[in-house]
């Protein structure tokens, strides 16, 4: 089989493999139509991970050198085919050269090759027509079944009849909040929470109330006190890889929160878009402890592809009509074309492969962050897409985020995660997956150098 040759590690391995491939095509060693080794075979031959080979093939595809065919493999592209620009994945967000560590998303180095194959498969499908027309009642049955198959990783008995499709997880939150609460209702969330919940609640005229958290997530005693004081309608909670603190709630606490929800007739929105990153499958979603009053929310945007704006709500039967009605009121229907593409990725197993690749990439980046920032206090998980950096004195979160940006690195200040105005926790959230590994190492080293500075204000 074809094996690339390089003499020294002068740049990341995946780039050297892509460069060697380009050279062998230019020299005639490889010709149009030649089939390249599988990811596994070449990884074993070179003693690297399959993810590294996937990145190399993806880079080669971006240069217009190869093309992937579903079920067949990767082939050298005919020279007469129009070549894609020789660009490389980058986390640099604008013309000012910022390295963007502000958005939690999967790494894009592996996406395009898988997506090309899925798009070809979608175009050639005999049942494509069903993805081109209007659909009501929360989505096509086949798309709901694919969503149920995805959800069964965490809720093994999930039935497709209880799935409602949405246009991503943020739309799912909008649907749930709009249909299950009314203006001026109190909605509970973590006292340090995802900014998307804050903006939604305020735009809908709901009163958002934060509940105290610790290193294990939402505190049951604080939840009980909030229920007694505010008589809330809903609880929005992230129990696994909480954003931004990265906490994973233990089983006993999930049981306690479910019991409190029953006691106070509280509906739970279990926002589990990071559940796929849990270290073991033994963490049952919060929705599993109180299924009769819980809406389980997930999507493919974080685990597979950000542009695949398909989310899945899994709800008890008595809530389904309200949720489906709100989907129609807000967007009429999620795109059936996107739903079909998502279903193909799930049913073919490619979504699982992409998920595992992202987990491997996240683990490597977390280790990199630990090596560079390890002497500081950070909250992370082995496979998380982000970390929380607690700042030493005299830093404040807004001050550090501002100075980091002025030095070419964008992070998110702790003040952005507060549902009520109060003193911001002294930290910043750092997302790790957007840039290349080299860019990430450079950005993290910059942040470490700022933290080591004896007098921060001298840098203004």
């Amino acid at each position: 089989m074809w094996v690339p040759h390089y003499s020294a590690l002068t740049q990341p391995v995946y780039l050297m493999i892509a460069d060697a491939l380009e050279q062998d095509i230019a020299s005639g060693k490889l010709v149009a139509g030649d089939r390249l080794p599988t990811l596994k075979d070449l990884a074993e031959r070179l003693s690297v991970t399959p993810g590294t080979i996937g990145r190399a093939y993806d880079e080669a595809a971006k240069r217009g050198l190869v093309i992937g065919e579903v079920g067949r493999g990767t082939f050298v592209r005919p020279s007469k085919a129009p070549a894609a620009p020789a660009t490389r994945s980058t986390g640099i967000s604008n013309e000012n050269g910022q390295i963007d560590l502000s958005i939690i998303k999967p790494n894009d180095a592996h996406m395009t090759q898988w997506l090309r194959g899925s798009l070809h498969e979608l175009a050639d499908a005999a049942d494509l027509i069903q993805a081109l027309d209007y659909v009501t009642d929360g989505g096509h049955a086949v798309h709901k079944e694919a969503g149920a198959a995805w959800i069964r990783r965490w809720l093994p008995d999930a039935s497709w009849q209880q799935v409602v499709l949405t246009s991503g997880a943020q739309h799912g939150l909008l649907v749930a909040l709009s249909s299950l609460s009314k203006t001026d209702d109190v909605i509970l969330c973590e006292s340090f929470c995802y900014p998307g919940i804050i903006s939604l609640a305020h735009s809908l005229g709901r009163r958002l109330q934060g509940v105290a958290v610790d290193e294990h997530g939402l505190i049951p005693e604080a939840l009980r006190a909030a229920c007694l004081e505010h008589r809330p309608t809903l609880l929005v909670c992230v129990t696994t890889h909480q954003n931004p603190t990265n906490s994973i709630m233990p089983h006993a606490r999930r049981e306690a929160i479910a019991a409190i929800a029953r006691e106070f007739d509280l509906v739970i929105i279990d926002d589990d878009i990071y559940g796929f990153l849990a270290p073991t499958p033994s963490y049952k979603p919060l929705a599993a402890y109180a299924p009769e009053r819980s809406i389980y929310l997930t999507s493919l945007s974080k685990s597979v592809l950000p542009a695949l704006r398909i989310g899945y709500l899994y709800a008890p039967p008595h809530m389904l009509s309200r949720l489906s009605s709100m989907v129609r009121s807000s967007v009429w229907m999620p795109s059936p074309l996107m739903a079909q593409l998502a279903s193909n990725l799930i049913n073919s197993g490619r979504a699982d492969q992409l998920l595992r690749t992202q987990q491997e990439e996240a683990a490597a980046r977390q280790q990199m962050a630990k090596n560079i920032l390890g002497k500081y206090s950070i909250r992370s998980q082995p496979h998380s897409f982000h970390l929380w950096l607690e700042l030493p004195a005299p830093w404040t979160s807004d001050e550090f985020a501002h100075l980091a940006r002025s030095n070419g690195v964008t992070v998110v200040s702790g003040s952005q995660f507060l549902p009520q105005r109060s003193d911001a926790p002294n930290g910043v959230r750092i997302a790790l997956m957007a840039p290349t590994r080299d860019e990430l190492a450079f950005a993290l080293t910059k942040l470490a150098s700022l933290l080591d500075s004896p007098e921060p204000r001298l840098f203004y």
Side-chain angles (χ1 to χ4, degrees), residues 131-185:
L132 304 179
D133 203 354
Y134 286 99
V135 60
T136 57
D137 196 28
H140 281 300
V142 291
H143 299 159
K144 291 183 180 182
E145 173 53 39
W150 187 253
I151 292 169
R152 287 183 194 119
R153 293 163 173 77
W154 304 281
L155 297 173
D157 298 325
S159 166
W160 70 266
Q161 289 94 338
Q162 291 174 239
V163 174
V164 176
L165 270 66
T166 65
S167 297
Q170 184 71 8
H171 180 235
L173 279 173
L174 169 67
V175 167
L177 266 61
S178 299
S179 59
L180 299 175
S181 66
K182 59 184 184 298
T183 302
D184 288 332
D185 275 1

